[in-house]
């Protein structure tokens, strides 16, 4: 048994104990990089989610604006159509002044016809009187 022990002690004495320095530096650096990577990944994921939510809201807003624009265009086309109909109606209807002018002209024509009728009666009466004489 003694020989074994001599071998085992001899083997241990030949190797110098290895002292590792800087393990805490490597561990700290690895921990920092791992933590930073995880935080950066989490931040990136949150940023993508916020971007996607904002993008969805913008697209919804654009769709709503397009619908409102179409509604406004439809209403404008109806207004244009009504304006053209109003112009045609304005061209076709008679103004109150036009009607009163036409009425006065008609009354003048009636008066002239009555005067001419009376003149004709007078001429006929004079002819009848001259024939009787």
């Amino acid at each position: 048994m003694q020989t074994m022990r001599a071998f085992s002690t001899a083997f241990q004495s030949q190797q110098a104990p290895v002292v590792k320095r800087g393990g805490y530096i490597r561990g700290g650096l690895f921990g920092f990089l791992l933590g930073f990577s995880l935080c950066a990944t989490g931040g990136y994921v949150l940023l993508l989610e916020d971007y996607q939510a904002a993008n969805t809201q913008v697209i919804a807003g654009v769709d709503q604006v397009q619908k409102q624009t179409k509604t406004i265009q439809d209403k404008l086309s109806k207004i244009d159509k009504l304006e053209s109909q109003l112009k045609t109606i304005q061209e076709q209807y008679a103004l109150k002044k036009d009607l009163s002018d036409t009425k006065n002209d008609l009354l003048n024509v009636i008066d002239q016809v009555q005067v001419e009728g009376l003149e004709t009666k007078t001429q006929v009466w004079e002819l009848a009187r001259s024939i009787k004489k």
Side-chain angles (χ1 to χ4, degrees):
M1 278 224 219
Q2 221 154 66
T3 37
M4 281 187 159
R5 200 165 202 206
F7 281 108
S8 66
T9 55
F11 181 70
Q12 287 179 358
S13 63
Q14 287 180 357
Q15 287 184 346
V18 179
V19 179
K20 291 186 176 180
R21 288 189 171 182
Y24 59 91
I25 293 174
R26 266 187 262 143
L29 185 60
F30 178 74
F32 172 75
L33 290 176
L34 181 66
F36 180 77
S37 299
L38 289 176
C39 286
T41 304
Y44 183 71
V45 167
L46 288 176
L47 181 67
L48 282 179
E49 288 175 358
D50 285 346
Y51 174 76
Q52 196 171 25
N55 195 21
T56 303
Q57 287 178 348
V58 167
I59 289 173
V62 167
D63 289 341
Q64 188 176 15
V65 167
Q66 284 178 341
K67 288 178 185 175
Q68 290 175 350
T69 303
K70 182 163 179 17
T71 304
I72 289 172
Q73 286 175 345
D74 292 342
K75 288 181 180 181
L76 284 176
S77 68
K78 286 180 183 178
I79 288 173
D80 289 339
K81 192 182 293 183
L82 287 174
E83 282 180 348
S84 67
Q85 288 176 355
L86 178 65
K87 284 181 183 177
T88 350
I89 289 172
Q90 283 177 345
E91 291 171 357
Q92 292 176 356
Y93 84 98
L95 293 175
K96 199 172 194 181
K97 182 182 176 193
D98 293 340
L99 288 176
S100 66
D101 289 344
T102 306
K103 178 183 172 185
N104 289 335
D105 290 343
L106 184 61
L107 289 175
N108 286 336
V109 168
I110 290 173
D111 285 342
Q112 286 176 358
V113 167
Q114 286 177 349
V115 168
E116 288 176 4
L118 289 174
E119 287 176 356
T120 307
K121 277 185 182 181
T122 307
Q123 288 176 358
V124 168
W125 183 71
E126 287 177 0
L127 279 175
R129 221 172 96 193
S130 68
I131 293 179
K132 282 185 183 180
K133 289 186 180 186

